[in-house]
């Protein structure tokens, strides 16, 4: 290829969304570890309790889908229930 890499538009980068996304990826990892340690399949439905700061997250539907959550609740602490 002879074409150049596209230039990054710094105005489109949102550090807060990136941080939130990283935190939610960590939560997804914890859910998977929890399911594995309880000898449950990854497709097992759960009730996920997230910290209150995620109530207005743009990524909630993605987290619900990836973790196979039938419900997402909010509290001061992270918790996974079957």
């Amino acid at each position: 290829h002879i074409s150049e890499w596209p230039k990054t538009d710094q105005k489109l980068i949102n550090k807060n969304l990136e941080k939130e996304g990283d935190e939610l990826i960590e939560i997804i990892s914890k859910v998977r570890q929890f399911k594995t340690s309880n000898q449950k399949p990854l497709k097992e439905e759960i009730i996920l309790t997230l910290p209150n700061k995620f109530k207005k997250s743009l990524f909630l539907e993605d987290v619900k889908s990836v973790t196979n959550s039938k419900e997402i609740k909010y509290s001061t602490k992270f918790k996974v229930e079957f």
Side-chain angles (χ1 to χ4, degrees):
H1 286 77
I2 300 176
S3 58
E4 295 180 17
W5 284 94
K7 303 283 187 231
T8 303
D9 186 352
Q10 296 295 325
K11 293 180 276 183
L12 298 176
I13 296 175
N14 184 327
K15 294 291 183 187
N16 291 331
L17 280 179
E18 286 184 16
K19 181 181 178 203
E20 182 179 325
D22 290 343
E23 290 172 348
L24 289 169
I25 288 171
E26 189 175 316
I27 285 172
I28 291 168
S29 177
K30 288 179 181 179
V31 168
R32 289 180 172 179
Q33 289 172 2
F34 180 81
K35 286 181 177 184
T36 301
S37 68
N38 286 284
Q39 299 179 347
K40 300 287 185 181
L42 292 178
K43 291 187 176 188
E44 183 81 20
E45 279 193 339
I46 62 167
I47 298 172
L48 182 61
T49 303
L50 295 175
N52 290 320
K53 70 179 183 178
F54 292 111
K55 274 186 181 178
K56 295 183 180 182
S57 174
L58 300 175
F59 305 111
L60 287 179
E61 284 303 312
D62 296 321
V63 171
K64 188 173 183 178
S65 175
V66 170
T67 60
N68 204 19
S69 299
K70 58 183 169 187
E71 182 180 358
I72 295 181
K73 299 178 182 180
Y74 303 95
S75 180
T76 56
K77 294 183 180 181
F78 166 76
K79 186 167 125 182
V80 180
E81 303 169 88
F82 292 108

